[in-house]
Amino acid sequence: MTKRLLALALACCVLPAAARAQADAEALRQAKALFFDRQYKEARAAWQGILDTGGAPDALYWVARSSDSLGESERALAEYGRFLAARPADRALVRRAAVLMNQSPSL
């Protein structure tokens, strides 16, 4: 009986986490698709939603890229700054954000 309860408790913890991971992966896929389909306003909203739920540490970079692509330079600069201030692990995105910030007409 104790083994059954332990297995049930474990399943209750693991299954929701797996479902959340699948939903997170789908949200990432959709946000990327919107960005690369040049639907920047919708992409920014999707990336912001991911960011708001605590997912994908690089979501702020993509929020900034979406703002930049919409021509909202000042907003993008602030978002790139917040992204860099968070000291992200992805060094390629850090370099790209720094380059994009230096190319901004608002500077």
Side-chain angles (χ1 to χ4, degrees), residues 16-94:
R20 190 180 76 236
Q22 186 176 9
D24 291 348
E26 177 58 25
L28 288 170
R29 186 202 63 72
Q30 183 178 8
K32 287 179 185 179
L34 288 167
F35 182 84
F36 290 109
D37 286 343
R38 298 180 180 185
Q39 296 177 31
Y40 301 122
K41 186 174 181 179
E42 294 84 357
R44 182 172 59 198
W47 284 112
Q48 188 64 53
I50 292 166
L51 188 64
D52 292 346
T53 59
D58 298 329
L60 188 50
Y61 170 82
W62 291 103
V63 169
R65 283 287 308 269
S66 297
S67 295
D68 203 4
S69 296
L70 287 167
E72 299 177 11
S73 300
E74 288 184 32
R75 180 178 181 165
L77 277 174
E79 292 162 345
Y80 284 131
R82 285 195 305 276
F83 170 72
L84 294 172
R87 302 180 57 85
D90 189 329
R91 304 314 299 162
L93 288 184
V94 167

